[in-house]
Structures are given as structure tokens and as C-alpha cells.
């Protein structure tokens, strides 16, 4: 599962990987992530929600691909 997640994150555009890294690994707040990347807090929140949703969809799809293999 971790390998799938790493691969899916690796396929994201650089800016989206930065948002995830700063928020989840550096443990910055949305406001701090926004200040770091010169984005508004609300834009960071929108991006984060969209990224997480897409990752969940990709992981669900890939899980089913591996289950049928």
C-alpha cells in the first residue's frame, strides 16, 4: 500500500507534492503552507482537498487492478 501511495504521489505535479509535503510531513498549517508557496490559505485548502480526493481514487483503482492480477 505504501508503495502505491508513493508512486501516486510521485506522479503529482511538483506544486501539489509541495503542498502535501509541507502540510503532512513538515506539519505546517494551511496558512503557513500558503505563505511558503505564495498562495492563499483557502487555495491551499482547495488544492489539498482535490489532491487527497484524486489520490484516494487512484489508490482504489490500483488496488482493484492488483486484486484481479
Amino acid at each position: 500500500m505504501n508503495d502505491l501511495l508513493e508512486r501516486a504521489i510521485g506522479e503529482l505535479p511538483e506544486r501539489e507534492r509541495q503542498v502535501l509535503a509541507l502540510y503532512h510531513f513538515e506539519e505546517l498549517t494551511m496558512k503557513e503552507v500558503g505563505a511558503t508557496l505564495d498562495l492563499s490559505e483557502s487555495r491551499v485548502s482547495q488544492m489539498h482537498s482535490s489532491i487527497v480526493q484524486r489520490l484516494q481514487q487512484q489508490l482504489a483503482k490500483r488496488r482493484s487492478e492488483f486484486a484481479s492480477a
Side-chain angles (χ1 to χ4, degrees):
M1 182 58 135
N2 285 338
D3 288 341
L4 287 176
L5 182 57
E6 283 182 35
R7 266 191 255 156
I9 290 172
E11 294 171 2
L12 293 173
E14 177 64 25
R15 187 70 146 193
E16 292 181 354
R17 287 195 310 268
Q18 288 176 325
V19 168
L20 289 179
L22 291 171
Y23 185 71
H24 290 282
F25 300 109
E26 299 297 326
E27 298 182 354
L28 299 181
T29 65
M30 296 276 179
K31 187 174 187 174
E32 292 168 330
V33 173
T36 302
L37 299 178
D38 196 29
L39 298 168
S40 70
E41 181 179 1
S42 64
R43 181 65 186 131
V44 171
S45 178
Q46 290 170 345
M47 287 177 71
H48 181 266
S49 295
S50 172
I51 295 164
V52 169
Q53 183 178 23
R54 286 195 338 263
L55 286 173
Q56 288 173 339
Q57 291 169 349
Q58 287 180 8
L59 290 177
K61 179 181 175 188
R62 290 180 179 186
R63 257 188 255 135
S64 65
E65 288 173 4
F66 283 104
S68 63

